[in-house]
Amino acid sequence: MVSRVEEPTLIQEGEPVAMKTKKPVLKRLILAAGVLLCCALNLPAQTAPTITTQPTNQTVLGGANVTFTVAVAGTGPFTYQWQFNGVNFPNNIITTVAGNGANAYVGDGEAATNLSLSYPSGVALDAAGDLYIADTWNNRIRKVDTQDIITTVAGNGSETYAGDGGAAINASLFRPLGVAVDGAGDLYIADTQSQRVRKVDTNGIITTVAGNGTTGYSGDGGAATNASLNYPVVVALDAAGDLYITDNNRIRKVDTNGIITTVAGNRGAGYAGDGNAATNANLNYPAGVALDAFGNVYIADTDNSRIRQVDTNGNISTVAGGGTGGDGGAATNASLNCPTGVVFDALGNLYIADQNNNRIRKVDTNGVITTVAGNGNAAYAGDGGAATNASLKTPFGVACDALGNLYISDLSNNRIRKVVPPGYPTLTLAGVSARSVGSYTVVITNLYGSATGAVATLTVQAPPLATVLPAGQIAVAGSDSRFSVAVAGSGPFWYAWYFDSTNLLQSGANSTLSLPGVSTNDIGNYTVVVTNAWGSVTSQVATVALVIPPSGTTQPGSQTVLAGANVNLSVTVDGNGPFSYQWQFNGTNLPANIITTVAGNGIADFAGDGGAATNASLYHPRGLAFDAAGSLYIADEYNNRIRKVDTNGVITSVAGIGPTGVEAGGYSGDGGAATNASLYIPTSVAVDAAGNLYIADLFNGRVRHVDASGVITTLANFQAPVGVALDATGNVYVADQGNEDIYEVTSNSAKTVVVSSSGRLRFIQGVSVDAVGNLYIADELNQRIAKVNNAFTGLTTVAGKVNAGGFSGDGGLATAAKLSYPQGVTLDTAGNLYIADAGNRRIRKVDTNGIISTLAGNGSTNYLGDGGTATNAGLDDPECVALDAAGNLYIADYAEQRVREVHLAGSPTLTLTNVTAGMAGSYSVVISSSYGSVTSAVATLNVAISAPQIVANDSSFGFAANQFGFNLSGAFGQTIVVDGSTNLVDWTPLFTNTVGGGAVYFCDPASTNSPWRFYRARLQ
């Protein structure tokens, strides 16, 4: 609103024009006389606004476009301030919508304001409101969708000309400066230094539509693809689909038949020709072109510092610039300084990127020029405030959307900025939703007062939209399960729950379905149909899977053995695994974390394929992974191979041909057998459920893919991929140490940044994914494990004091503990976290309560401890950890050239070797799974010091005729059984007694009934 009245200018008759000055006149006198003056001059009275048409209440379906309109009588101009629930809509506010100011390229797939651009030039919008940016020095065209996510739609970053006929994202561009989008959604690119204009169709295929690659001027009247262009800068389209190109000192046109002509400029650089045919005029390096609704062509005649118009008769004139004036007067009297971009809004206003004045200027339909953005300072400032108070730095391109929002390529600030325009008599809301529901009004103001419109209410009637879907359940038999759904839309809602699509279980207003005491009868598929007055939605299928806690089917049996013997106690289990086994002796747990070597002989070399993995040579084993069959894969880093250890312990190479050495790798082999391909320092490996292998090929800057048939290809390129991991659905996640970001790669090799470091991560290493999609990152130089939630919106620390380093904290919260250069990370099915704490030479565990402990390693670098408790073992720079299906832990003992296993899950068989008397007692095992536990029967182990002996025949006891007897010796407490047999095959127990400290005498009173008999003594 204007808050002051300019003093009128009084000119004395005969006074020279140069001396004409304003004479002071009292404002109050003029205002008081205003009405009389108007009457005396027969002019209409100047009046405050009066609303003649009010905005009205509206009820629409969700997704519709809504307009509220007001009509006003009174003396203009008017300003319109629309309000939503009493709060002003922003007017003429500037913000950044793309670019973080850095001059770089770091990827795609996240909020456009988080990522960088490199001297963005042209901007354009499609019918859906997507924004396209000529990211010039990145040699790419970027797209910001209506969710503000940025992606690349053309250009692979290479600075050349290539790729026509293929996918635009694989093509090469060479300093693209201008972009435009036609009504069909086809994208046009001024590929400046390739001397071409290129087109990306709606299928993403790129072709050339103008220019033959030679620099010059030729081809008018013929096919545009045969013509020569001279550094085309900007492109624009008219309503008929004709293409306009700024071509050095000309404007050229390619019609819908592909024929090129010149519409303005005669090649010479200069300023001449106004009032005559545009083709005879001089232009001076124009860098902008636009068309109004009537087909007139407007040219930013950059080095002439003018805007020129070519009318529909082909005549040229100047419509802005060339004068010395400023804002508020005729545009033809104004001064411009190297204008570039030009564009029209829907109301016919012309916007100009007044580049060297660091402003955006507007020429209204009356030809009056004003500044709408920029204060003239060449800087970056002002976001969130009035655009006219903000600083721009060499703004180049401009674009307008259907709502009048203005987009500016703030070139030297490496940003795209947006200006929400001043209010209009019509407020347009696109794609309304429940968040749009409320009260709308408008305040209209002029110099003489203001008026407030009636309050109009918007009601959005929306069919139900499921926002939280019922999730599949894994239920323990006998437990309760529950499905829930949450919906947006207009209530009330009705919920119909179905089992196996057709069996209606529950119908009503309850959004939750409860299943008490789940049994086999409940196994199947569940859906819910949610209905309201405007439609219905059916949820995805959610499945109930029944799991059974462990139960022992074969129990360990009691045994009596001699000292020095080996004993096996075994159990078999029913239920859903994987299972862990905790054996107990006399009620006390036996050690379960026994460490052994499963691959590598400690020699840094390549040898051993086809034989036992423990006899093979590895050279800095780093990444580890398991396939569904239980085979172990090793990223044998300096051997430039991936090795496989099968379930029989035999090692082979499955990818890479070597040779051995840190500088000996290479890149070759895509499309052929992986065993013939070259890798270069493979650091990480992952295997999906189908047996496909994923390799972080570090020095080649690639993630390679080996399919189940053994053929290798490149999945995607990166700067320095060090970690690769898979989630439960097979999505691939890559830790790129080159830019400290985490990427997701889809099956078609499209990659998006899901975790942008922005300085929060330092020298990332391993990455892992839990069962619900949360990411865990070994953040080495920050001395921590970082976690990113499955929405990829929050980064937290779950282990390690940030930047602390050292070893401490076992038994307490992991976030208070110290780690030292953590390298690898993995999780088990229960959610426990395992860390390769390389600098501390330990493997640490963080349980689900956040408590940290050491599982393996005593801090020593010596190779020792195999066969004993893992916490007593020496590890040397453990780089990676992995778990097999049974829950046993595997360690890449990097500097020891070995892979080692810790039997965390125990075994269904307990082996006791060389037993002693101290090992006699009671043994049992606790079998556990994610779904419960069971304890076996108790088995008793008796250990005899020595076997019972038949000492001597003794007849001094007065045997009857033909009776036979002898003495027995044994250890105290031994129970001795004497068996008899006549054939050394069939033995019959004859006598049982317990030794009480002396010899035991045996007499066989039945010997008289047998012609002869064999005897033996044994322990019971």
Side-chain angles (χ1 to χ4, degrees):
M1 184 179 81
V2 177
S3 59
R4 68 181 182 86
V5 177
E6 184 66 35
E7 303 256 355
T9 300
L10 300 182
I11 303 173
Q12 295 180 0
E13 187 174 352
E15 188 176 30
V17 172
M19 300 296 295
K20 295 175 182 177
T21 59
K22 295 181 179 179
K23 306 297 182 181
V25 179
L26 292 177
K27 295 180 187 177
R28 61 179 180 270
L29 180 61
I30 293 176
L31 291 175
V35 175
L36 289 175
L37 180 60
C38 290
C39 291
L41 296 175
N42 199 26
L43 295 175
Q46 296 172 328
T47 59
T50 302
I51 298 174
T52 57
T53 302
Q54 297 281 3
T56 58
N57 297 336
Q58 298 195 47
T59 299
V60 298
L61 286 176
N65 296 333
V66 173
T67 57
F68 291 105
T69 302
V70 65
V72 186
T75 304
F78 303 105
T79 62
Y80 300 83
Q81 178 59 65
W82 287 92
Q83 297 177 338
F84 174 52
N85 292 334
V87 177
N88 288 347
F89 279 101
N91 281 344
N92 206 44
I93 302 300
I94 193 168
T95 56
T96 294
V97 295
N100 58 13
N103 178 14
Y105 173 77
V106 296
D108 287 317
E110 62 177 289
T113 50
N114 291 342
L115 299 183
S116 53
L117 305 171
S118 185
Y119 297 110
S121 301
V123 284
L125 292 127
D126 64 17
D130 299 318
L131 174 68
Y132 294 82
I133 306 165
D135 194 0
T136 302
W137 282 76
N138 280 326
N139 295 298
R140 291 172 167 91
I141 305 301
R142 315 282 289 278
K143 170 184 169 182
V144 180
D145 65 19
T146 54
Q147 305 301 314
D148 299 325
I149 302 300
I150 193 168
T151 54
T152 294
V153 294
N156 59 12
S158 299
E159 192 175 274
T160 185
Y161 167 74
D164 272 6
I169 56 174
N170 296 329
S172 298
L173 304 176
F174 199 168
R175 296 283 188 267
L177 283 171
V179 284
V181 186
D182 67 16
D186 298 316
L187 174 68
Y188 294 81
I189 306 165
D191 197 7
T192 303
Q193 293 205 39
S194 79
Q195 315 298 345
R196 292 170 170 93
V197 174
R198 301 172 79 180
K199 171 184 170 182
V200 180
D201 66 20
T202 53
N203 295 315
I205 303 301
I206 192 168
T207 53
T208 294
V209 295
N212 60 14
T214 61
T215 304
Y217 171 71
S218 70
D220 272 5
T225 50
N226 294 331
S228 296
L229 302 178
N230 195 358
Y231 297 99
V233 173
V234 173
V235 285
L237 294 143
D238 64 17
D242 298 322
L243 176 69
Y244 294 79
I245 308 165
T246 61
D247 184 20
N248 199 262
N249 293 309
R250 291 178 168 87
I251 305 299
R252 301 179 78 180
K253 170 183 169 182
V254 180
D255 66 19
T256 54
N257 295 314
I259 303 302
I260 193 168
T261 54
T262 296
V263 295
N266 64 5
R267 187 176 183 180
Y271 173 70
D274 275 3
N276 297 302
T279 51
N280 294 329
N282 291 114
L283 304 175
N284 203 350
Y285 299 106
V289 62
L291 291 104
D292 66 14
F294 306 102
N296 301 302
V297 180
Y298 289 75
I299 304 164
D301 195 0
T302 303
D303 281 6
N304 282 325
S305 292
R306 289 171 167 86
I307 306 300
R308 301 175 78 180
Q309 180 203 68
V310 180
D311 64 23
T312 54
N313 294 316
N315 293 319
I316 194 168
S317 59
T318 295
V319 294
T324 58
D327 284 344
T332 48
N333 294 332
S335 173
L336 302 176
N337 193 349
C338 294
T340 49
V342 282
V343 73
F344 283 91
D345 66 15
L347 300 179
N349 300 300
L350 174 66
Y351 295 85
I352 305 164
D354 194 1
Q355 187 180 60
N356 286 357
N357 280 325
N358 298 298
R359 288 176 165 90
I360 305 300
R361 315 280 290 275
K362 171 186 167 183
V363 180
D364 66 18
T365 54
N366 295 315
V368 175
I369 194 168
T370 53
T371 294
V372 294
N375 58 11
N377 295 326
Y380 169 69
D383 273 6
T388 49
N389 294 332
S391 297
L392 306 174
K393 193 172 183 181
T394 56
F396 185 88
V398 282
C400 270
D401 66 17
L403 301 179
N405 297 302
L406 179 68
Y407 295 81
I408 306 163
S409 61
D410 197 358
L411 183 142
S412 294
N413 281 323
N414 294 303
R415 290 173 166 92
I416 306 300
R417 301 175 78 180
K418 173 182 174 181
V419 179
V420 179
Y424 289 97
T426 296
L427 173 67
T428 299
L429 306 175
V432 296
S433 66
R435 288 177 294 183
S436 309
V437 171
S439 300
Y440 294 81
T441 190
V442 60
V443 178
I444 304 108
T445 307
N446 67 3
L447 288 174
Y448 314 105
S450 64
T452 301
V455 173
T457 301
L458 175 63
T459 302
V460 177
Q461 296 174 333
L465 173 66
T467 56
V468 178
L469 295 168
Q473 307 280 322
I474 298 176
V476 177
S479 67
D480 296 340
S481 283
R482 187 175 69 171
F483 292 112
S484 293
V485 66
V487 293
S490 303
F493 301 106
W494 193 260
Y495 303 86
W497 290 92
Y498 290 89
F499 175 63
D500 285 344
S501 301
T502 58
N503 300 317
L504 181 63
L505 299 178
Q506 176 181 298
S507 182
N510 195 344
S511 62
T512 298
L513 173 68
S514 296
L515 302 175
V518 175
S519 69
T520 54
N521 295 329
D522 299 305
I523 298 173
N525 299 321
Y526 294 79
T527 54
V528 59
V529 178
V530 186
T531 306
N532 68 2
W534 298 278
S536 65
V537 63
T538 301
S539 75
Q540 66 182 20
V541 173
T543 303
V544 168
L546 192 66
V547 294
I548 302 171
S551 61
T553 57
T554 301
Q555 301 289 347
S558 297
Q559 300 184 46
T560 300
V561 297
L562 288 175
N566 295 332
V567 173
N568 289 321
L569 298 170
S570 295
V571 65
T572 59
V573 191
D574 275 343
N576 293 96
F579 303 107
S580 64
Y581 301 85
Q582 179 59 64
W583 287 92
Q584 297 177 335
F585 173 53
N586 293 334
T588 301
N589 288 345
L590 291 172
N593 56 334
I594 304 301
I595 193 168
T596 56
T597 293
V598 294
N601 57 13
I603 300 171
D605 200 354
F606 173 73
D609 272 6
T614 49
N615 295 332
S617 295
L618 306 174
Y619 198 170
H620 290 327
R622 190 163 176 182
L624 304 174
F626 282 90
D627 66 15
S631 297
L632 170 66
Y633 293 80
I634 306 167
D636 194 1
E637 188 178 63
Y638 279 19
N639 278 325
N640 295 301
R641 290 172 167 90
I642 305 298
R643 316 275 294 271
K644 172 184 172 182
V645 180
D646 66 20
T647 53
N648 295 314
V650 176
I651 192 168
T652 53
S653 292
V654 294
I657 57 173
T660 293
V662 67
E663 297 180 354
Y667 170 70
S668 70
D670 275 2
T675 49
N676 295 330
S678 294
L679 306 176
Y680 201 174
I681 309 298
T683 56
S684 182
V685 62
V687 191
D688 67 18
N692 296 296
L693 193 66
Y694 300 84
I695 305 164
D697 195 1
L698 176 64
F699 282 12
N700 280 323
R702 290 170 163 88
V703 170
R704 313 282 288 275
H705 170 260
V706 180
D707 66 20
S709 64
V711 175
I712 192 169
T713 53
T714 292
L715 181 69
N717 295 325
F718 299 90
Q719 291 187 38
V722 292
V724 61
L726 300 162
D727 67 13
T729 59
N731 296 311
V732 181
Y733 296 90
V734 180
D736 191 349
Q737 200 176 78
N739 52 32
E740 309 292 4
D741 290 339
I742 307 296
Y743 288 82
E744 181 184 69
V745 185
T746 60
S747 58
N748 63 358
S749 297
K751 63 181 186 180
T752 55
V753 175
V754 294
V755 181
S756 179
S757 170
S758 301
R760 298 172 296 172
L761 302 172
R762 293 196 301 143
F763 214 63
I764 56 179
Q765 295 286 352
V767 61
S768 189
V769 194
D770 68 14
V772 295
N774 301 307
L775 292 176
Y776 295 79
I777 305 160
D779 189 8
E780 183 181 359
L781 294 187
N782 281 326
Q783 313 287 0
R784 66 167 176 173
I785 304 300
K787 174 184 175 182
V788 180
N789 64 30
N790 54 15
F792 309 125
T793 57
L795 189 149
T796 57
T797 297
V798 293
K801 283 185 176 180
V802 177
N803 293 325
F807 174 72
S808 71
D810 275 3
L813 287 174
T815 49
K818 290 183 180 180
L819 305 176
S820 182
Y821 305 108
Q823 299 285 312
V825 61
T826 194
L827 297 106
D828 63 21
T829 55
N832 298 300
L833 182 69
Y834 300 83
I835 305 165
D837 193 2
N840 284 320
R841 305 177 183 92
R842 290 172 167 90
I843 305 301
R844 316 279 291 272
K845 174 185 174 181
V846 181
D847 66 20
T848 53
N849 294 315
I851 303 301
I852 194 169
S853 58
T854 294
L855 287 184
N858 61 5
S860 168
T861 61
N862 297 323
Y863 172 68
L864 52 86
D866 272 7
T869 304
T871 49
N872 293 331
L875 303 173
D876 196 354
D877 196 13
E879 294 266 336
C880 181
V881 282
L883 293 158
D884 66 12
N888 296 306
L889 181 71
Y890 291 75
I891 306 165
D893 200 354
Y894 185 79
E896 286 295 343
Q897 322 303 337
R898 290 174 167 92
V899 177
R900 303 173 78 179
E901 176 189 4
V902 181
H903 299 275
L904 292 179
S907 170
T909 298
L910 174 66
T911 299
L912 305 173
T913 59
N914 194 24
V915 296
T916 64
M919 298 166 72
S922 299
Y923 290 83
S924 61
V925 60
V926 178
I927 307 130
S928 302
S929 73
S930 298
Y931 315 112
S933 64
V934 65
T935 302
S936 73
V938 175
T940 301
L941 176 64
N942 297 308
V943 181
I945 302 302
S946 61
Q949 299 290 323
I950 297 175
V951 179
N953 179 29
D954 191 345
S955 59
S956 64
F957 284 88
F959 292 148
N962 297 322
Q963 286 184 331
F964 176 75
F966 48 81
N967 286 329
L968 301 166
S969 68
F972 181 86
Q974 286 184 338
T975 299
I976 299 174
V977 178
V978 176
D979 298 322
S981 174
T982 59
N983 57 14
L984 293 178
V985 176
D986 301 314
W987 294 90
T988 302
L990 303 176
F991 171 84
T992 302
N993 202 352
T994 302
V995 178
V1000 176
Y1001 179 75
F1002 167 72
C1003 175
D1004 185 0
S1007 60
T1008 57
N1009 299 322
S1010 299
W1012 49 269
R1013 193 196 299 269
F1014 298 98
Y1015 298 91
R1016 72 180 181 187
R1018 61 180 172 86
L1019 291 174
Q1020 188 180 53

